[in-house]
């Protein structure tokens, strides 16, 4: 990058359980959300089934990823970008935001803070880089002119328009319900000692910070050998530990990304 640092050439994704590398994927995109579906498909190709549960950080919480997991029957413990803010003890949602407005499902309209109905005026379509089309509904207030709140929180010209992605809001609601359950709290706690800990051991304990080859095929081979060695080393230390404590390790069916 002309400053002595090298630019990452590959985005490595790993999925772990009990700190064993169950699968890995190498992508040539810097964007994590776009890697999730091909990564789960790679897991399916390897094991002929999807994991029962997928746990991932907020970077993966997109509409297409939630939808894919729901359709594949994977329990999604995947955060979204506002999740941590919402969990703060003194969090108060912005009372003027679209999420805070009353929504009438039967009539498909919102009610603004001054009690006006905001009627549906259309749909916005956006296409992600993977080609997924996301639809957001648009609602418009009838008349904002002369409203005492006009200018205090809403300064644009004309009447206020809001855009709401209903499917995404519903996926987030389900994710929030899961993530705040007893099981969800446990998964959230474990995630930082699953793939993150494995990356830490790889990079800092074992010094594996750079691939030794160029080209996707060769880099895949490079990391596959490393992953086999890593898992063997982990297995030996688990067996030794289990023999010492008389305990054993079990397969929980959880895939931490
Ligand atoms: S500015 Fe418009 S949308 Fe906002 S409270 Fe007033 S009338 Fe309602």
């Amino acid at each position: 990058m002309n400053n002595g640092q090298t630019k990452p050439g590959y985005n490595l994704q790993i999925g772990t359980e009990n700190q064993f590398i169950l699968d890995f994927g190498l992508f040539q995109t810097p964007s994590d959300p776009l890697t999730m579906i091909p990564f789960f498909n790679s897991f399916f190709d390897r094991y002929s089934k999807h994991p029962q549960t997928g746990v991932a950080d907020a970077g993966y919480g997109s509409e297409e990823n939630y939808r894919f997991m729901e359709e594949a029957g994977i329990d999604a413990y995947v955060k979204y970008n506002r999740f941590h803010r919402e969990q703060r003890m003194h969090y108060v949602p912005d009372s003027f935001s679209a999420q805070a407005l009353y929504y009438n499902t039967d009539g498909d309209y919102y009610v603004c803070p001054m009690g006006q109905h905001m009627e549906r005026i259309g749909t916005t379509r956006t296409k992600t880089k993977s080609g997924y089309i996301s639809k957001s509904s648009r609602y418009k207030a009838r008349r904002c002119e002369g409203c005492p709140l006009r200018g205090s929180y809403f300064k644009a010209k004309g009447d206020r328009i809001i855009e709401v992605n209903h499917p995404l809001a519903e996926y987030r609601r389900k994710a929030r319900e899961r993530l705040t359950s007893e099981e969800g709290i446990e998964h959230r706690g474990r995630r930082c000692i699953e793939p993150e800990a494995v990356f830490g051991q790889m990079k800092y304990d074992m010094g594996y910070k750079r691939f030794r080859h160029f080209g996707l095929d060769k880099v895949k081979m490079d990391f596959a050998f490393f992953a086999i060695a890593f898992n063997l080393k982990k297995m030996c230390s688990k067996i030794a530990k289990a023999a010492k404590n008389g305990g054993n390790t079990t397969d929980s069916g959880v895939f931490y990304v």
Side-chain angles (χ1 to χ4, degrees), residues 96 111-116 118 141-145 147-151 153-154 158-161:
F96 294 112
V111 180
C112 85
M114 285 301 282
Q116 265 195 44
M118 300 178 83
R142 281 184 194 148
R143 190 178 159 85
C144 293
E145 201 187 331
C147 169
L149 294 177
R150 181 93 169 83
Y153 82 99
F154 166 59
D159 300 320
R160 186 185 181 200
I161 294 175

Side-chain angles (χ1 to χ4, degrees), residues 151-199:
S152 62
Y153 82 99
F154 166 59
K155 296 188 172 73
K157 284 182 185 162
D159 300 320
R160 186 185 181 200
I161 294 175
I162 57 170
E163 278 187 19
V164 182
N165 182 333
H166 290 294
L168 180 59
E170 180 57 15
Y171 288 132
R172 284 180 172 170
R173 190 195 61 73
K174 288 182 191 165
R176 185 166 51 243
E177 217 171 85
R178 282 204 184 101
L179 289 161
T180 51
S181 69
E182 210 173 300
E183 202 178 336
I185 292 168
E186 199 188 316
H187 288 320
R188 277 157 55 200
R190 274 203 68 78
R191 194 198 168 266
C192 42
I193 56 160
E194 280 286 347
E196 303 303 348
V198 171
F199 272 123

